[in-house]
Amino acid sequence: MKKIAFKKPIIGLLGLMTLVSSCSDFGDMNVDPNRASVASTAALLTGAETNFGLAVTASDAQPILYAQHWSEITYTQNSRYQGTAFSYNNFYAGPLTSLNYIIKVNSDDATKAGVTTNGSNANQIAVARIIRAYFFSVLTDRFGDIPYSQALKAEQDFTPTFDAQKDIYTDLFKELKEAGAQFDGGTAVRGDIILSGNATRWKKFAASLRMILALRLSKVDATKGKTEFVAAMQDGPLASNSDNVRYNYTDTYPNPWFASFVTSGRLDFAVSEPLVNYLKPLTDPRLPAFADKATTSQDYVGMPYGLTNPTLKAADVSLPNASLRTVITAPANVLTYSQVLFSQAEAVKLGWITGDAKALYEAAIKASMEQWGVYTEAAYTAYIAKANVAYSDAKALELIGTQKWIALYMQGYEAWSEWRRTGYPNFLKPAPGAANNSKQIPLRQGYPTTERDLNTENYNAVISRQGPDTDATPVWWDK
């Protein structure tokens, strides 16, 4: 197995990180005492964390459309898979570079003492490593093989090689485990807008993410998947909805769906017909939290998915619930307790851990209802007794996968990844008006054209190894 080690980053184009150096001939004469020699790690962490919203949905509907939680009303190109190349450049140039810088200055003997006002060195490094691993996990699940071990070196290497996803996953497990164990009980991290510097919650997030990633290996390397899953369970994942990890929008970084639906006045997206048609007959209590009733019929009406020339108007279909379109109070869930419970239920069914798969499955549904603020004991009890919901050992994986898809509403990339891995729900069909060559739901996203044009040698090498740079080429774990 290839061992991956990050090189210390070279700080290049980020102006706010400019380091002040002194000329050897003039000693301190050229040092500006009013200019910081090290960028504020708290400010850099805050800036990096604003990208959690991007990692969940990319601030556009593409992954939500892949997962068929939403459909497009008028302009249906994205739900018909017209786009092929997608960019990850902003992640590398922005948050990933900032996180590497935080790790560097907290590790370097020359700078680490000067940044402890923003948290102990160990705590800052641990948080940065966990976030970096999370962002890389999203990127590799989107694209497959990506620049990893040779990335983030700025002018030292503008044409990094692509690491195999298998090797990236191995390193992500290591990074997350080591980072979770790195917290030292010292000063809490400042600038943390996700978990407010709470080390216990960061440890739970790291362990839970390891569980999610371990299940990705269920069909490609079940032995390693089981080992990593068990180890993550032992380190303590999310234990209740109060542990849920979410990105909280602010006035500075508002909910992009407010701008899309309200500020611009464009009503481009509606809740999809596949989702509404599955939830409505079940009287699923979450449907009113997911969708508003259509203006025309005053009923829940899903928008048909992926049509070339749809005839329905915005008033005819259910828009995403108004609470999801608010400026700052809308949820942007990153990782939730219901995900952890569904994962544990599946792990029991796979024989990875011992436990009661039925109890875990039902607890996951309850946690999802509580998360969306719709739980009542009566509604829950009736719901889990429904024919298409009631636990059956023979259909356990299908039930778990389908209910997990529901629970992952608005978590576009995660829902898409889980559909690719499990095949559930099995009623998701390709867009009737599919514009991509395969005419199938995409299995990955194509690399940005800058890789083809500016990193040609390594780009050719990766497509030779991984497969054509199309949305029909599966990622490594997708079997």
Side-chain angles (χ1 to χ4, degrees):
M1 182 66 65
K2 179 181 177 183
K3 183 177 180 181
I4 296 177
F6 280 100
K7 303 292 181 65
K8 287 186 177 181
I10 303 297
I11 306 305
L13 302 179
L14 296 183
L16 62 90
M17 294 183 183
T18 301
L19 303 182
V20 178
S21 61
S22 60
C23 176
S24 60
D25 291 337
F26 297 100
D28 292 337
M29 288 178 62
N30 290 334
V31 176
D32 182 352
N34 297 315
R35 186 177 182 185
S37 59
V38 177
S40 168
T41 54
L44 291 176
L45 181 62
T46 300
E49 288 184 343
T50 61
N51 291 270
F52 267 84
L54 294 174
V56 174
T57 66
S59 286
D60 62 40
Q62 193 69 66
I64 303 176
L65 294 169
Y66 286 163
Q68 297 187 24
H69 286 153
W70 286 3
S71 297
E72 290 175 303
I73 299 173
T74 305
Y75 305 104
T76 62
Q77 299 96 316
N78 290 330
S79 57
R80 293 188 294 111
Y81 327 130
Q82 187 166 307
T84 55
F86 294 82
S87 180
Y88 49 47
N89 296 333
N90 287 341
F91 267 96
Y92 283 96
L96 289 171
T97 295
S98 296
L99 294 166
N100 253 26
Y101 180 83
I102 292 169
I103 294 168
K104 176 184 181 297
V105 297
N106 276 280
S107 304
D108 193 329
D109 288 338
T111 54
K112 65 183 184 181
V115 295
T116 53
T117 54
N118 293 326
S120 72
N121 296 132
N123 288 346
Q124 290 190 67
I125 294 170
V127 170
R129 290 175 78 180
I130 292 169
I131 299 171
R132 184 177 67 179
Y134 171 67
F135 286 160
F136 269 127
S137 74
V138 174
L139 291 177
T140 189
D141 286 347
R142 288 174 60 187
F143 297 93
D145 299 357
I146 57 172
Y148 185 74
S149 61
Q150 300 302 309
L152 308 177
K153 296 169 67 176
E155 65 267 23
Q156 194 177 45
D157 188 357
F158 285 123
T159 56
T161 57
F162 291 70
D163 291 272
Q165 188 176 49
K166 179 180 180 180
D167 296 328
I168 295 170
Y169 258 67
T170 296
D171 199 63
L172 292 178
F173 289 127
K174 176 190 73 67
E175 282 291 294
L176 289 165
K177 183 173 181 61
E178 290 181 359
Q182 193 168 5
F183 291 96
D184 65 1
T187 305
V189 173
R190 293 181 58 215
D192 176 14
I193 60 173
I194 302 297
L195 298 179
S196 302
N198 188 315
T200 299
R201 295 193 65 192
W202 277 112
K203 292 177 185 178
K204 289 181 178 181
F205 175 57
S208 301
L209 181 55
R210 286 161 57 198
M211 290 171 60
I212 301 300
L213 298 180
L215 270 181
R216 294 274 204 271
L217 310 189
S218 61
K219 294 180 180 178
V220 69
D221 191 347
T223 300
K224 182 171 180 59
K226 177 181 178 179
T227 298
E228 296 293 348
F229 194 96
V230 170
M233 281 277 293
Q234 292 172 343
D235 285 341
L238 309 187
S240 70
N241 273 328
S242 63
D243 289 333
N244 286 353
V245 180
R246 56 179 285 174
Y247 176 71
N248 296 305
Y249 295 114
T250 66
D251 289 328
T252 305
Y253 301 101
N255 178 9
W257 304 123
F258 176 80
S260 177
F261 284 94
V262 182
T263 305
S264 71
R266 294 176 61 92
L267 302 178
D268 292 331
F269 307 105
V271 182
S272 75
E273 189 173 75
L275 182 64
V276 172
N277 284 2
Y278 192 77
L279 298 186
K280 189 175 174 181
L282 295 172
T283 318
D284 193 309
R286 291 166 291 189
L287 180 55
F290 291 174
D292 284 342
K293 291 182 178 180
T295 302
T296 303
S297 65
Q298 285 300 296
D299 196 5
Y300 295 104
V301 179
M303 179 70 199
Y305 181 77
L307 302 181
T308 304
N309 295 300
T311 58
L312 292 174
K313 307 301 181 185
D316 301 326
V317 292
S318 291
L319 301 180
N321 185 276
S323 66
L324 304 175
R325 298 178 266 134
T326 57
V327 180
I328 61 175
T329 58
N333 296 304
V334 177
L335 202 155
T336 67
Y337 180 47
S338 65
Q339 283 179 261
V340 169
L341 290 170
F342 280 123
S343 298
Q344 290 174 338
E346 183 178 351
V348 171
K349 182 60 181 173
L350 293 174
W352 288 9
I353 60 173
T354 59
D356 186 335
K358 177 178 182 292
L360 288 164
Y361 165 76
E362 291 175 351
I365 295 173
K366 179 180 179 182
S368 177
M369 290 182 179
E370 290 175 334
Q371 173 191 325
W372 286 96
V374 298
Y375 172 80
T376 66
E377 185 175 356
Y380 164 72
T381 301
Y383 184 76
I384 61 173
K386 301 271 186 179
N388 287 340
V389 180
Y391 183 84
S392 161
D393 192 62
K395 296 177 62 179
L397 293 180
E398 178 181 351
L399 290 167
I400 293 167
T402 301
Q403 283 294 324
K404 191 182 220 181
W405 171 75
I406 297 169
L408 287 170
Y409 181 67
M410 297 290 288
Q411 291 175 248
Y413 282 122
E414 185 62 24
W416 177 45
S417 289
E418 284 296 277
W419 172 81
R420 286 181 289 161
R421 180 180 71 85
T422 68
Y424 299 119
N426 54 18
F427 52 77
L428 299 189
K429 305 300 180 185
N436 57 346
N437 289 333
S438 71
K439 307 300 180 184
Q440 300 299 310
I441 300 171
L443 300 179
R444 64 179 287 274
Q445 291 183 321
Y447 294 120
T449 55
T450 50
E451 295 288 13
R452 180 198 65 203
D453 297 339
L454 304 177
N455 193 14
T456 307
E457 182 178 349
N458 291 317
Y459 172 80
N460 289 337
V462 73
I463 62 175
S464 176
R465 178 180 70 228
Q466 178 173 252
D469 186 17
T470 70
D471 61 12
T473 296
V475 299
W476 164 69
W477 49 253
D478 180 7
K479 301 299 180 184

